[in-house]
């Protein structure tokens, strides 16, 4: 069955450093990969989408890579800030489906 | 736009009672999704609608769950009878619907506790 793995342990980093979160998947060939941010008590909020034929996507301090050979996506936040502290979810979908399959998320804590 | 609106935000009920969750999608969005989030299972898709028609309900856990979308601006998710294992946060999301390539906009969720 399809499986998406994100590091269940919280990532704890110092303000100003680069945070790198990992999303690995098996038994799936997604056409799209999305990253969402979720704050406590709130719904997920879309951040970035990357297509299978794109290697990298950037938006301000955010960067996403998508390696279909390794079946992995990396999500980077440069110059991290305490306000970046949240849970980050990756989600996969295929060309023909409107269904998003979500990973369990990784909690990021940025210390001032 | 006010975004996706869900009500109630919190619901506490006793086992066996009927629970109805409500959602108003963003105006102009043709797709509506119902998700359930728990610590154990993460965020799971229950059902989604296109133009008010249910397209895929394969994620609905059992017959106790039902969802309707009587018009483009309103959907309900009903649990009858409710059980303690239904305790979770239920999210509604909407999108304009390019397969996989369109972002989904989530509501604030309904936190359900079944005692």
């Amino acid at each position: 069955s399809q499986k998406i793995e994100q590091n269940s342990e919280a990532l704890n980093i110092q303000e100003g450093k680069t945070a790198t979160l990992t999303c690995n998947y098996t038994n799936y060939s997604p056409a799209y990969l999305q990253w969402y941010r979720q704050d406590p008590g709130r719904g997920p909020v879309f951040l970035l989408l990357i297509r299978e034929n794109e290697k990298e996507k950037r938006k301000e301090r955010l960067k996403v890579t998508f390696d279909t050979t390794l079946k992995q996506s990396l999500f980077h936040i440069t110059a991290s800030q305490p306000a970046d502290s949240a849970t980050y979810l990756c989600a996969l979908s295929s060309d023909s489906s409107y269904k998003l399959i979500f990973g369990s998320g990784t909690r990021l804590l940025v210390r001032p | 736009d006010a975004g996706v609106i869900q009500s109630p935000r919190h619901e506490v009920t006793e086992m066996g009672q009927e629970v109805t969750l409500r959602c108003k999608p963003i105006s102009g969005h043709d797709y509506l999704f119902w998700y359930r989030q728990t610590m154990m299972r993460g965020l799971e898709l229950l059902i989604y609608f296109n133009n008010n028609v249910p397209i895929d309900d394969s994620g609905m856990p059992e017959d106790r769950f039902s969802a309707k979308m009587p018009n483009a601006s309103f959907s309900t998710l009903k649990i009858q009878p409710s059980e303690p294992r239904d305790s979770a946060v239920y999210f509604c999301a909407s999108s304009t619907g390019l397969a996989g390539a369109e972002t989904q906009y989530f509501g604030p969720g309904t936190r359900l506790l079944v005692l």
Side-chain angles (χ1 to χ4, degrees):
Chain A
S1 63
Q2 301 158 349
K3 192 173 181 181
I4 303 173
E5 291 185 346
Q6 294 187 256
N7 195 340
S8 59
E9 292 184 13
L11 179 62
N12 199 326
I13 65 169
Q14 185 73 43
E15 180 177 9
K17 300 294 186 183
T18 296
T20 299
L21 286 70
T22 304
C23 175
N24 294 299
Y25 59 92
T26 55
N27 298 325
Y28 198 53
S29 295
Y32 307 96
L33 190 147
Q34 302 186 27
W35 283 88
Y36 285 76
R37 168 182 172 143
Q38 187 173 22
D39 291 285
R42 293 179 176 264
V45 174
F46 170 78
L47 295 174
L48 278 170
L49 178 149
I50 187 167
R51 293 170 169 77
E52 62 177 336
N53 59 354
E54 297 176 315
K55 296 295 184 187
E56 182 179 299
K57 202 86 169 275
R58 292 176 184 261
K59 179 182 176 183
E60 297 172 352
R61 295 184 296 112
L62 309 180
K63 184 178 86 170
V64 172
T65 62
F66 192 6
D67 189 326
T68 56
T69 300
L70 291 178
K71 295 186 180 294
Q72 180 182 78
S73 174
L74 298 178
F75 177 78
H76 307 272
I77 306 175
T78 58
S80 60
Q81 304 166 0
D84 295 326
S85 298
T87 295
Y88 292 85
L89 306 165
C90 70
L92 309 180
S93 60
S94 66
D95 240 337
S96 58
S97 174
Y98 295 88
K99 295 168 69 167
L100 279 178
I101 302 173
F102 280 85
S104 55
T106 298
R107 193 157 64 98
L108 172 66
L109 297 171
V110 181
R111 302 188 310 274
Chain B
D1 200 319
V4 175
I5 299 173
Q6 291 187 246
S7 65
R9 292 295 311 277
H10 302 273
E11 177 81 31
V12 180
T13 190
E14 292 189 346
M15 183 174 65
Q17 296 298 305
E18 177 179 296
V19 176
T20 299
L21 311 181
R22 296 172 177 79
C23 174
K24 175 179 168 57
I26 293 173
S27 177
H29 283 191
D30 297 329
Y31 287 80
L32 184 140
F33 306 81
W34 280 101
Y35 290 88
R36 178 173 67 175
Q37 187 174 41
T38 62
M39 289 293 293
M40 289 297 295
R41 300 176 67 88
L43 195 60
E44 302 174 283
L45 178 66
L46 300 177
I47 184 171
Y48 78 90
F49 295 81
N50 175 215
N51 291 325
N52 315 336
V53 176
I55 302 299
D56 187 336
D57 65 354
S58 59
M60 295 285 260
E62 48 198 273
D63 291 344
R64 297 184 298 106
F65 285 69
S66 62
K68 294 182 180 179
M69 192 165 185
N71 57 63
S73 58
F74 184 65
S75 177
T76 60
L77 178 67
K78 186 175 293 186
I79 308 173
Q80 166 63 21
S82 57
E83 297 183 3
R85 61 193 168 119
D86 301 331
S87 298
V89 181
Y90 291 82
F91 289 103
C92 176
S94 68
S95 77
T96 55
L98 285 174
E102 193 64 28
T103 63
Q104 294 185 11
Y105 295 82
F106 284 77
T110 295
R111 187 174 295 273
L112 173 65
L113 178 61
V114 183
L115 302 173

